[in-house]
Amino acid sequence: MKEHLLKILIIGDGNVGKSSFVCRYVSGQFSRTYKMTVGVDFSVKTLHWSDKEKVRVQLWDVAGQERFISMTRVYYKGAMGCVLMFDVTNSSSFLKCRQWKQDLDSKAMLPNGSSIPCILLANKSDLSDWAVPADGIESFCKANGFFTWMATSVKDNKNIDEAMRKLVEEILSSQ
Ligand code: GDP
């Protein structure tokens, strides 16, 4: 049995749903008031990837330090993949994604020097008042080096496992 340990970061503005995403993914729950303590924290989930492979996903949440945007190198060190999340009803959280991606690419890279695989998640897609059009997300995604984007709803458990599966696939194929 081959075991992969993957450090995956989750970044994005405050209140977009990052902690809820981690909680949903790791424990299958959605909690309206769930909030991690301030400071970098991580959660682990084991995936039985194939007959021969096990993947241990280590999810690092910025947990309340988003206001700094510029995260410390310790946070980025050894990261192999990244989830960048915004809230579809909050255009400013979308506009900030450019800075988040730049900070990521300036501080984290794969051992071979290329940028780490990053998926862009448009969260709270269950809400009707989208402030960001899908074609705008699509072109931003292409122009800024994300391998793909997906609309998610942590509340409705939509595309959470699917998004993480895509990211893990991308990471394993880039190794
Ligand atoms: P963080 O600051 O990015 O970690 O965001 P939180 O996980 O604390 O979530 C902020 C708020 O958004 C909380 O009240 C969550 O319950 C809510 N929330 C998270 N995901 C969703 C979602 O997909 N849909 C809706 N409607 N609310 C969500």
Side-chain angles (χ1 to χ4, degrees), residues 15-20 32 35 123-124 126 153-155:
N15 222 38
V16 300
K18 301 183 301 299
S19 303
S20 306
R32 206 160 288 281
K35 190 77 205 174
N123 192 40
K124 307 198 187 181
D126 57 286
S153 167
V154 182
K155 183 165 183 253

Side-chain angles (χ1 to χ4, degrees), residues 70-127:
S70 177
M71 299 298 296
T72 63
R73 284 177 192 275
V74 173
Y75 177 73
Y76 287 122
K77 194 172 190 303
M80 300 171 92
C82 181
V83 173
L84 174 47
M85 180 178 279
F86 67 96
D87 169 353
V88 287
T89 68
N90 177 340
S91 56
S92 118
S93 73
F94 174 65
L95 293 172
K96 291 275 268 310
C97 286
R98 189 183 306 271
Q99 265 169 280
W100 279 111
K101 184 70 164 60
Q102 281 168 358
D103 192 52
L104 173 74
D105 290 341
S106 70
K107 293 177 184 161
M109 59 181 73
L110 294 178
N112 69 12
S114 52
S115 59
I116 68 172
C118 188
I119 189 167
L120 179 66
L121 297 186
N123 192 40
K124 307 198 187 181
S125 63
D126 57 286
L127 299 174

